[in-house]
Amino acid sequence: MDKPIYAARRFRTAWKSLDARPRESVIDVILALPALVAHPHQHTGFGFRRLHGSQYWEARLDLKWRLILKIGHDDIILFDVMNHDQVRRL
């Protein structure tokens, strides 16, 4: 995967408030991104899926937290870390 990965300001703020386990899961998702983007429907345990037909995607970090990414043609943006209810309102 040749796309650069950037972190949005929202993500950096959320990152600071996360516990160790969700932080480790974010890193696991980042490391798995090439495979997730190439084969989004393959089972990886992250529940990687597109949100509402948009450029936004979600990856499950644990039962509570979701990593929201914006995958464009040229780059990937780590957009935010939200709980399940916040994702539904997005």
Side-chain angles (χ1 to χ4, degrees):
M1 179 174 66
D2 297 341
K3 297 179 182 185
I5 300 173
Y6 301 103
R9 186 174 296 144
R10 294 174 67 140
F11 173 80
R12 292 191 303 262
T13 301
W15 174 265
K16 293 175 187 176
S17 66
L18 288 177
D19 292 331
R21 182 163 289 185
R23 279 186 181 203
E24 290 173 9
S25 295
V26 167
I27 293 168
D28 292 341
V29 169
I30 292 169
L31 293 175
L33 270 176
L36 292 173
V37 171
H39 307 286
H41 300 293
Q42 185 176 14
H43 177 70
T44 59
F46 294 118
F48 192 67
R49 66 182 186 98
R50 184 184 298 259
L51 293 176
H52 317 295
S54 67
Q55 289 185 329
Y56 291 95
W57 293 72
E58 97 173 282
R60 184 176 43 245
L61 302 178
D62 59 22
L63 289 175
K64 180 180 179 183
W65 297 109
R66 308 291 188 262
L67 172 63
I68 307 302
L69 305 117
K70 184 175 181 183
I71 300 177
H73 293 290
D74 300 325
D75 59 6
I76 296 174
I77 299 171
L78 304 174
F79 182 69
D80 204 348
V81 177
M82 301 177 169
N83 67 37
H84 185 264
D85 293 334
Q86 291 170 319
V87 172
R88 293 179 85 195
R89 289 188 298 252
L90 180 68

mmCIF file of all heavy atoms in Angstrom, residues 11-35:
data_model
loop_
_atom_site.group_PDB
_atom_site.id
_atom_site.type_symbol
_atom_site.label_atom_id
_atom_site.label_comp_id
_atom_site.label_asym_id
_atom_site.label_seq_id
_atom_site.Cartn_x
_atom_site.Cartn_y
_atom_site.Cartn_z
ATOM 1 N N PHE A 11 -8.529 12.716 15.960
ATOM 2 C CA PHE A 11 -7.924 11.448 16.334
ATOM 3 C C PHE A 11 -6.852 11.654 17.391
ATOM 4 O O PHE A 11 -6.781 10.912 18.377
ATOM 5 C CB PHE A 11 -7.322 10.746 15.107
ATOM 6 C CG PHE A 11 -6.542 9.518 15.481
ATOM 7 C CD1 PHE A 11 -7.202 8.334 15.758
ATOM 8 C CD2 PHE A 11 -5.165 9.564 15.585
ATOM 9 C CE1 PHE A 11 -6.491 7.209 16.122
ATOM 10 C CE2 PHE A 11 -4.445 8.449 15.948
ATOM 11 C CZ PHE A 11 -5.113 7.260 16.221
ATOM 12 N N ARG A 12 -6.011 12.652 17.204
ATOM 13 C CA ARG A 12 -4.933 12.901 18.175
ATOM 14 C C ARG A 12 -5.497 13.210 19.554
ATOM 15 O O ARG A 12 -4.960 12.766 20.572
ATOM 16 C CB ARG A 12 -4.030 14.026 17.678
ATOM 17 C CG ARG A 12 -3.233 13.623 16.446
ATOM 18 C CD ARG A 12 -2.153 14.634 16.101
ATOM 19 N NE ARG A 12 -2.647 15.978 15.879
ATOM 20 C CZ ARG A 12 -2.887 16.503 14.682
ATOM 21 N NH1 ARG A 12 -2.699 15.797 13.595
ATOM 22 N NH2 ARG A 12 -3.302 17.744 14.578
ATOM 23 N N THR A 13 -6.598 13.942 19.610
ATOM 24 C CA THR A 13 -7.248 14.242 20.892
ATOM 25 C C THR A 13 -7.801 12.966 21.519
ATOM 26 O O THR A 13 -7.623 12.724 22.722
ATOM 27 C CB THR A 13 -8.378 15.264 20.691
ATOM 28 O OG1 THR A 13 -7.826 16.458 20.120
ATOM 29 C CG2 THR A 13 -9.061 15.590 21.995
ATOM 30 N N ALA A 14 -8.472 12.143 20.731
ATOM 31 C CA ALA A 14 -9.032 10.885 21.243
ATOM 32 C C ALA A 14 -7.929 9.939 21.684
ATOM 33 O O ALA A 14 -8.058 9.252 22.701
ATOM 34 C CB ALA A 14 -9.898 10.227 20.180
ATOM 35 N N TRP A 15 -6.825 9.906 20.960
ATOM 36 C CA TRP A 15 -5.695 9.025 21.275
ATOM 37 C C TRP A 15 -5.173 9.288 22.685
ATOM 38 O O TRP A 15 -4.861 8.357 23.423
ATOM 39 C CB TRP A 15 -4.595 9.231 20.237
ATOM 40 C CG TRP A 15 -3.323 8.497 20.517
ATOM 41 C CD1 TRP A 15 -2.214 8.985 21.143
ATOM 42 C CD2 TRP A 15 -3.033 7.138 20.188
ATOM 43 N NE1 TRP A 15 -1.259 8.017 21.208
ATOM 44 C CE2 TRP A 15 -1.738 6.882 20.632
ATOM 45 C CE3 TRP A 15 -3.759 6.133 19.555
ATOM 46 C CZ2 TRP A 15 -1.122 5.633 20.469
ATOM 47 C CZ3 TRP A 15 -3.150 4.898 19.396
ATOM 48 C CH2 TRP A 15 -1.858 4.652 19.842
ATOM 49 N N LYS A 16 -5.109 10.540 23.053
ATOM 50 C CA LYS A 16 -4.589 10.907 24.367
ATOM 51 C C LYS A 16 -5.439 10.368 25.508
ATOM 52 O O LYS A 16 -4.941 10.124 26.600
ATOM 53 C CB LYS A 16 -4.468 12.425 24.488
ATOM 54 C CG LYS A 16 -3.420 13.012 23.578
ATOM 55 C CD LYS A 16 -3.438 14.524 23.650
ATOM 56 C CE LYS A 16 -2.497 15.108 22.619
ATOM 57 N NZ LYS A 16 -2.551 16.569 22.583
ATOM 58 N N SER A 17 -6.736 10.171 25.265
ATOM 59 C CA SER A 17 -7.634 9.734 26.329
ATOM 60 C C SER A 17 -7.834 8.213 26.365
ATOM 61 O O SER A 17 -8.512 7.712 27.258
ATOM 62 C CB SER A 17 -8.993 10.423 26.186
ATOM 63 O OG SER A 17 -9.630 9.985 25.006
ATOM 64 N N LEU A 18 -7.256 7.482 25.402
ATOM 65 C CA LEU A 18 -7.459 6.036 25.347
ATOM 66 C C LEU A 18 -6.602 5.295 26.367
ATOM 67 O O LEU A 18 -5.483 5.711 26.670
ATOM 68 C CB LEU A 18 -7.110 5.505 23.955
ATOM 69 C CG LEU A 18 -8.057 5.830 22.826
ATOM 70 C CD1 LEU A 18 -7.498 5.291 21.516
ATOM 71 C CD2 LEU A 18 -9.437 5.262 23.088
ATOM 72 N N ASP A 19 -7.129 4.170 26.829
ATOM 73 C CA ASP A 19 -6.355 3.269 27.682
ATOM 74 C C ASP A 19 -5.374 2.485 26.810
ATOM 75 O O ASP A 19 -5.420 2.544 25.583
ATOM 76 C CB ASP A 19 -7.282 2.301 28.411
ATOM 77 C CG ASP A 19 -8.157 3.009 29.441
ATOM 78 O OD1 ASP A 19 -7.720 4.049 29.984
ATOM 79 O OD2 ASP A 19 -9.271 2.521 29.691
ATOM 80 N N ALA A 20 -4.528 1.695 27.451
ATOM 81 C CA ALA A 20 -3.482 0.957 26.743
ATOM 82 C C ALA A 20 -4.039 -0.057 25.744
ATOM 83 O O ALA A 20 -3.534 -0.172 24.624
ATOM 84 C CB ALA A 20 -2.569 0.256 27.746
ATOM 85 N N ARG A 21 -5.067 -0.793 26.121
ATOM 86 C CA ARG A 21 -5.584 -1.847 25.238
ATOM 87 C C ARG A 21 -6.162 -1.297 23.927
ATOM 88 O O ARG A 21 -5.808 -1.788 22.851
ATOM 89 C CB ARG A 21 -6.623 -2.690 25.958
ATOM 90 C CG ARG A 21 -7.141 -3.813 25.071
ATOM 91 C CD ARG A 21 -7.811 -4.841 25.853
ATOM 92 N NE ARG A 21 -6.782 -5.552 26.602
ATOM 93 C CZ ARG A 21 -7.010 -6.601 27.341
ATOM 94 N NH1 ARG A 21 -8.218 -7.071 27.460
ATOM 95 N NH2 ARG A 21 -6.039 -7.207 27.985
ATOM 96 N N PRO A 22 -7.024 -0.265 23.960
ATOM 97 C CA PRO A 22 -7.493 0.291 22.674
ATOM 98 C C PRO A 22 -6.354 0.906 21.854
ATOM 99 O O PRO A 22 -6.363 0.835 20.626
ATOM 100 C CB PRO A 22 -8.515 1.346 23.074
ATOM 101 C CG PRO A 22 -8.934 0.999 24.445
ATOM 102 C CD PRO A 22 -7.767 0.317 25.078
ATOM 103 N N ARG A 23 -5.357 1.478 22.517
ATOM 104 C CA ARG A 23 -4.209 2.023 21.787
ATOM 105 C C ARG A 23 -3.481 0.917 21.028
ATOM 106 O O ARG A 23 -3.088 1.088 19.884
ATOM 107 C CB ARG A 23 -3.228 2.704 22.735
ATOM 108 C CG ARG A 23 -3.610 4.089 23.121
ATOM 109 C CD ARG A 23 -2.508 4.713 23.932
ATOM 110 N NE ARG A 23 -2.880 6.053 24.324
ATOM 111 C CZ ARG A 23 -2.014 6.986 24.639
ATOM 112 N NH1 ARG A 23 -0.727 6.721 24.618
ATOM 113 N NH2 ARG A 23 -2.426 8.185 24.975
ATOM 114 N N GLU A 24 -3.289 -0.221 21.688
ATOM 115 C CA GLU A 24 -2.643 -1.355 21.026
ATOM 116 C C GLU A 24 -3.472 -1.826 19.837
ATOM 117 O O GLU A 24 -2.922 -2.174 18.788
ATOM 118 C CB GLU A 24 -2.450 -2.503 22.014
ATOM 119 C CG GLU A 24 -1.417 -2.222 23.073
ATOM 120 C CD GLU A 24 -1.366 -3.308 24.134
ATOM 121 O OE1 GLU A 24 -2.011 -4.368 23.958
ATOM 122 O OE2 GLU A 24 -0.675 -3.104 25.138
ATOM 123 N N SER A 25 -4.783 -1.814 19.993
ATOM 124 C CA SER A 25 -5.660 -2.237 18.897
ATOM 125 C C SER A 25 -5.583 -1.273 17.722
ATOM 126 O O SER A 25 -5.641 -1.704 16.565
ATOM 127 C CB SER A 25 -7.103 -2.358 19.383
ATOM 128 O OG SER A 25 -7.216 -3.386 20.339
ATOM 129 N N VAL A 26 -5.455 0.023 17.988
ATOM 130 C CA VAL A 26 -5.296 1.004 16.902
ATOM 131 C C VAL A 26 -4.020 0.685 16.128
ATOM 132 O O VAL A 26 -4.022 0.676 14.891
ATOM 133 C CB VAL A 26 -5.256 2.452 17.452
ATOM 134 C CG1 VAL A 26 -4.785 3.427 16.375
ATOM 135 C CG2 VAL A 26 -6.613 2.866 17.975
ATOM 136 N N ILE A 27 -2.957 0.395 16.828
ATOM 137 C CA ILE A 27 -1.693 0.063 16.169
ATOM 138 C C ILE A 27 -1.848 -1.216 15.352
ATOM 139 O O ILE A 27 -1.358 -1.304 14.220
ATOM 140 C CB ILE A 27 -0.563 -0.057 17.202
ATOM 141 C CG1 ILE A 27 -0.290 1.332 17.804
ATOM 142 C CG2 ILE A 27 0.707 -0.634 16.576
ATOM 143 C CD1 ILE A 27 0.593 1.348 19.014
ATOM 144 N N ASP A 28 -2.566 -2.206 15.891
ATOM 145 C CA ASP A 28 -2.814 -3.449 15.149
ATOM 146 C C ASP A 28 -3.579 -3.174 13.855
ATOM 147 O O ASP A 28 -3.273 -3.753 12.808
ATOM 148 C CB ASP A 28 -3.585 -4.452 16.001
ATOM 149 C CG ASP A 28 -2.774 -4.989 17.167
ATOM 150 O OD1 ASP A 28 -1.527 -4.886 17.129
ATOM 151 O OD2 ASP A 28 -3.394 -5.513 18.114
ATOM 152 N N VAL A 29 -4.575 -2.296 13.915
ATOM 153 C CA VAL A 29 -5.343 -1.953 12.715
ATOM 154 C C VAL A 29 -4.440 -1.260 11.698
ATOM 155 O O VAL A 29 -4.484 -1.578 10.505
ATOM 156 C CB VAL A 29 -6.559 -1.057 13.054
ATOM 157 C CG1 VAL A 29 -7.194 -0.483 11.796
ATOM 158 C CG2 VAL A 29 -7.583 -1.828 13.862
ATOM 159 N N ILE A 30 -3.614 -0.334 12.149
ATOM 160 C CA ILE A 30 -2.713 0.372 11.234
ATOM 161 C C ILE A 30 -1.778 -0.610 10.539
ATOM 162 O O ILE A 30 -1.563 -0.530 9.329
ATOM 163 C CB ILE A 30 -1.929 1.476 11.977
ATOM 164 C CG1 ILE A 30 -2.882 2.589 12.410
ATOM 165 C CG2 ILE A 30 -0.810 2.033 11.095
ATOM 166 C CD1 ILE A 30 -2.270 3.592 13.366
ATOM 167 N N LEU A 31 -1.255 -1.569 11.292
ATOM 168 C CA LEU A 31 -0.366 -2.558 10.700
ATOM 169 C C LEU A 31 -1.099 -3.466 9.711
ATOM 170 O O LEU A 31 -0.517 -3.935 8.735
ATOM 171 C CB LEU A 31 0.298 -3.399 11.797
ATOM 172 C CG LEU A 31 1.267 -2.646 12.702
ATOM 173 C CD1 LEU A 31 1.753 -3.542 13.823
ATOM 174 C CD2 LEU A 31 2.446 -2.104 11.892
ATOM 175 N N ALA A 32 -2.383 -3.708 9.949
ATOM 176 C CA ALA A 32 -3.173 -4.580 9.086
ATOM 177 C C ALA A 32 -3.821 -3.835 7.919
ATOM 178 O O ALA A 32 -4.459 -4.466 7.073
ATOM 179 C CB ALA A 32 -4.247 -5.282 9.915
ATOM 180 N N LEU A 33 -3.672 -2.507 7.860
ATOM 181 C CA LEU A 33 -4.368 -1.720 6.832
ATOM 182 C C LEU A 33 -4.130 -2.194 5.395
ATOM 183 O O LEU A 33 -5.091 -2.242 4.621
ATOM 184 C CB LEU A 33 -4.013 -0.241 6.951
ATOM 185 C CG LEU A 33 -4.922 0.573 7.848
ATOM 186 C CD1 LEU A 33 -4.411 1.998 7.970
ATOM 187 C CD2 LEU A 33 -6.350 0.563 7.367
ATOM 188 N N PRO A 34 -2.914 -2.549 4.994
ATOM 189 C CA PRO A 34 -2.764 -2.999 3.597
ATOM 190 C C PRO A 34 -3.686 -4.182 3.261
ATOM 191 O O PRO A 34 -4.346 -4.181 2.221
ATOM 192 C CB PRO A 34 -1.291 -3.390 3.501
ATOM 193 C CG PRO A 34 -0.622 -2.568 4.551
ATOM 194 C CD PRO A 34 -1.625 -2.464 5.672
ATOM 195 N N ALA A 35 -3.769 -5.149 4.148
ATOM 196 C CA ALA A 35 -4.635 -6.311 3.909
ATOM 197 C C ALA A 35 -6.106 -5.928 4.028
ATOM 198 O O ALA A 35 -6.943 -6.417 3.258
ATOM 199 C CB ALA A 35 -4.300 -7.432 4.892
#
